Amino acid sequence: MKQLINDVISIFTPQSVKPVLIRADLTHREISSIHPVGFTSVSWATSMEELNDAFVQKALAAGAVGYHITDVESHEPAHDGQHVMAATATLYHINSKVAYG
């Protein structure tokens, strides 16, 4: 949860990007070779936990090792009265030349 809060705060604070890593078995060499490879979005979440879970699932499905939320917007309440959030995130992969070469 602390990492999620830091990730959201980082959206509004200029700093070097440190993605949320979703694999725990990465070596220091692999971590140093992580680079952005694409973007994904979610447009239906009603909580930050749902948003985080959705990005983890999307990152895993894309074979990514991490993600960084870059934009979050809150929209009008859904039919059940909860606000709906839409967000985008950058996905990160390991540079295959460093990791395997």
Side-chain angles (χ1 to χ4, degrees), residues 3-18 20 48 51-52 55 67-74 85-90:
Q3 182 61 43
L4 176 60
I5 292 169
N6 288 337
D7 196 41
V8 172
I9 290 171
S10 73
I11 293 169
F12 304 104
T13 308
Q15 60 187 357
S16 64
V17 173
K18 293 183 182 177
V20 175
M48 286 305 295
L51 197 61
N52 186 52
F55 282 127
Y67 67 94
H68 176 75
I69 297 174
T70 56
D71 183 53
V72 178
E73 296 178 10
S74 180
M85 291 184 288
T88 57
T90 303

Side-chain angles (χ1 to χ4, degrees), residues 27-97:
T27 66
H28 289 291
R29 186 175 186 185
E30 289 172 326
I31 291 171
S32 67
S33 72
I34 292 173
H35 64 283
V37 294
F39 298 93
T40 190
S41 62
V42 172
S43 60
W44 51 264
T46 57
S47 69
M48 286 305 295
E49 288 78 19
E50 275 187 348
L51 197 61
N52 186 52
D53 291 344
F55 282 127
V56 168
Q57 294 304 314
K58 285 180 170 260
L60 288 170
V65 297
Y67 67 94
H68 176 75
I69 297 174
T70 56
D71 183 53
V72 178
E73 296 178 10
S74 180
H75 298 286
E76 293 297 317
H79 65 280
D80 60 0
Q82 291 186 326
H83 276 73
V84 176
M85 291 184 288
T88 57
T90 303
L91 298 178
Y92 288 81
H93 285 240
I94 298 170
N95 183 341
S96 59
K97 290 180 183 178

